[in-house]
Amino acid sequence: MTQPALAAHGVAMTFGVVPVLRNVEFELWPGSLVAISGVNGSGKSTLVKIFAGLLRPTSGSVAVFGTSQARRRVGLVSHQSFLYPRLTAAENLEFYATLYGLGDPRERAMRWLARIGLEGFADYRVRTISRGNEQRLALARALIGDPDLVIMDEPFTALDADGVSLAKDLIKASLARGAAVLITAHGTDALAGLDFELYDLRAGRLERRRVERIAG
Amino acid sequence: MSAFAAILRKDLRLELRSGESTIAMVALSILILVVVVFALSQAGARGTEAAAGALWIALLFSGMVGATRALGAERENGCIAGLLIAPVDRATLYLAKLAAALVFMAVAEIAAVILMVLFFNLSFDSGLLRMVPILALGLLGFAALAIMLAAIAGHTRLGDLTLPMLAVPIYVPALIAGVKASAVLLGGAPFGAAWTWIRILIAFDVIYTVAGYLLFEHVMAEQA
């Protein structure tokens, strides 16, 4: 193991005159799970967007596997699902599988639909399915290319107990194949049963708290 | 399937299901042509130059609807971010969006040409066929410009309202050239008679297609 999956050095972000992130130093290594907790408005989503390459920080640098051009290796679950409401569940996954250059995108889409328990919704347009099922689909969209770095911004949002269990299974599967996983959450209750490092984001500063395992 | 083909197919599929862009563009074209034809009938000036002017005004404004919608669909559910984090280079994204906008605009343009012929008492003859390359050049130039500007407009405070303010002044040279070339051909003159104007259209297309191809990366840098 020669380089971290994600490395951030001196990352700061300011919106107008309001500082959101201050001098963030962070490393995430393959096969490890890190959770970042923080209250609403603490800058978690901004940090996630910067890590995923969707925002440029005001200062500092972010590297994914040592480069700033590693989009193929990143899977992102965000507050928004990135799913086209007028496309069906299968069409959405097939579309993203094609963008990621995966072989037989239709077959892969159907396989992922079965994996998230939505094979019966393959031909349903996304705008007609429930928010919880849309979130399951968003998880599949992010993970369909087996990314080496998985970034999840509050991934358990809108999921019921089965959905949370499914999401954790997907996280474990990603870790098992050596991917690095970063999760943001308000709290750590939903992470029960997982080993993770915990960081707090307070007033724009990222501070490591401890390594923990919550019984689950 | 390539990323270009996937994005284009997705955009066409979305448009086939909603029809939003095409219906709005055709409706706007009809409205503009009706208004112009009534205005000019009062003045007694319904010649080929007036017909060409009406057609290109319809192209301009319906094209703005098409360009806005081509990127607007990506803003639902934050899909634009899904595209931006995917391993697709921005130039490919630009070309796919340009192709999709061209298809929508071409449909509206065909409807506008038919209406122009009917409203201005012109005939469906070879003059119309000779206008096809001129209209194609006009559509390409406008789509190339408008897609890039729509991406910029999308993250300004005024949003899509910014597009006409940016696009119309820049498009004026191509608009004049298109109107003049179309009027020459509708008047029955040979294709060569419009060559001066066609060269302006070609130059405009080259400049703005290349500019869009090269600059889209920077324009889209922080769309998410």
Side-chain angles (χ1 to χ4, degrees):
Chain A
M1 192 183 307
T2 56
Q3 61 187 358
L6 176 67
H9 298 293
V11 169
M13 188 72 188
T14 303
F15 290 125
V17 295
V18 181
V20 178
L21 299 170
R22 303 163 195 260
N23 195 32
V24 170
E25 295 286 334
F26 180 74
E27 283 189 351
L28 177 62
W29 291 85
S32 63
L33 171 62
V34 164
I36 297 177
S37 74
V39 297
N40 289 336
S42 60
K44 299 190 298 295
S45 295
T46 300
L47 189 60
V48 160
K49 284 184 177 178
I50 290 172
F51 285 168
L54 289 172
L55 272 181
R56 286 189 191 137
T58 308
S59 62
S61 65
V62 174
V64 174
F65 294 100
T67 172
S68 60
Q69 300 288 329
R71 293 202 298 261
R72 190 176 299 276
R73 302 179 73 178
V74 180
L76 172 66
V77 177
S78 177
H79 284 277
Q80 292 179 294
S81 66
F82 305 167
L83 299 168
Y84 295 90
R86 288 190 181 88
L87 293 186
T88 66
E91 286 168 350
N92 267 288
L93 293 187
E94 187 182 348
F95 172 66
Y96 281 104
T98 306
L99 292 190
Y100 280 81
L102 306 174
D104 201 348
R106 182 72 183 179
E107 188 276 332
R108 192 177 277 249
M110 298 311 290
R111 188 149 42 90
W112 268 93
L113 282 170
R115 191 166 175 184
I116 59 173
L118 293 183
E119 60 268 53
F121 290 82
D123 296 324
Y124 283 54
R125 293 188 188 178
V126 164
R127 68 176 175 180
T128 67
I129 66 177
S130 70
R131 178 70 186 91
N133 283 341
E134 186 175 342
Q135 184 67 4
R136 287 181 182 226
L137 208 51
L139 291 167
R141 176 201 50 74
L143 298 173
I144 196 165
D146 293 330
D148 297 316
L149 171 60
V150 180
I151 301 174
M152 299 175 149
D153 192 5
E154 300 183 19
F156 306 113
T157 302
L159 292 176
D160 57 16
D162 285 346
V164 170
S165 176
L166 168 74
K168 286 200 281 192
D169 286 345
L170 294 174
I171 291 168
K172 286 176 186 171
S174 294
L175 293 168
R177 60 178 175 76
V181 182
L182 171 69
I183 293 178
T184 70
H186 293 300
T188 55
D189 293 350
L191 297 173
L194 299 170
D195 293 312
F196 58 93
E197 282 183 75
L198 181 62
Y199 284 72
D200 269 344
L201 189 58
R202 288 182 189 165
R205 295 186 192 283
L206 191 63
E207 296 167 359
R208 188 175 176 191
R209 270 172 54 185
R210 59 187 177 272
V211 178
E212 44 183 287
R213 178 183 175 85
I214 302 174
Chain B
M1 183 187 292
S2 67
F4 171 86
I7 296 167
L8 178 59
R9 188 176 77 159
K10 180 265 298 173
D11 281 353
L12 297 181
R13 183 178 268 163
L14 287 174
E15 182 58 23
L16 279 174
R17 285 182 185 167
S18 73
E20 284 175 357
S21 298
T22 312
I23 291 170
M25 290 164 72
V26 170
L28 190 59
S29 295
I30 293 170
L31 185 65
I32 289 168
L33 284 164
V34 166
V35 169
V36 172
V37 82
F38 271 94
L40 294 180
S41 69
Q42 294 296 315
R46 285 168 61 178
T48 52
E49 290 212 355
L55 181 67
W56 280 78
I57 292 170
L59 178 154
L60 177 67
F61 287 98
S62 65
M64 266 183 275
V65 174
T68 303
R69 285 301 306 162
L71 284 174
E74 303 298 345
R75 299 204 173 95
E76 286 184 289
N77 278 352
C79 290
I80 189 70
L83 280 182
L84 294 179
I85 59 166
V88 178
D89 72 80
R90 306 297 190 254
T92 300
L93 176 56
Y94 173 75
L95 292 178
K97 288 289 165 193
L98 176 60
L102 273 176
V103 173
F104 305 154
M105 288 180 195
V107 171
E109 195 61 18
I110 290 167
V113 167
I114 294 169
L115 290 168
M116 175 196 72
V117 170
L118 296 175
F119 289 169
F120 286 86
N121 293 322
L122 303 174
S123 57
F124 289 97
D125 58 15
S126 60
L128 278 181
L129 281 179
R130 284 183 294 141
M131 270 181 56
V132 170
I134 292 168
L135 291 175
L137 287 170
L139 286 179
L140 174 61
F142 186 75
L145 171 69
I147 289 293
M148 187 172 60
L149 295 181
I152 295 170
H155 60 145
T156 61
R157 192 171 294 172
L158 285 174
D160 294 333
L161 290 175
T162 315
L163 179 60
M165 289 189 283
L166 294 172
V168 174
I170 299 173
Y171 193 64
V172 162
L175 184 65
I176 292 170
V179 170
K180 288 293 186 184
S182 301
V184 166
L185 295 182
L186 283 174
F191 198 79
W195 185 238
T196 303
W197 303 112
I198 293 170
R199 280 191 300 185
I200 294 174
L201 284 171
I202 292 172
F204 190 94
D205 288 7
V206 170
I207 290 169
Y208 284 98
T209 306
V210 171
Y213 185 85
L214 296 176
L215 297 176
F216 206 59
E217 167 97 35
H218 306 286
V219 171
M220 298 298 283
E222 295 191 357
Q223 285 281 312

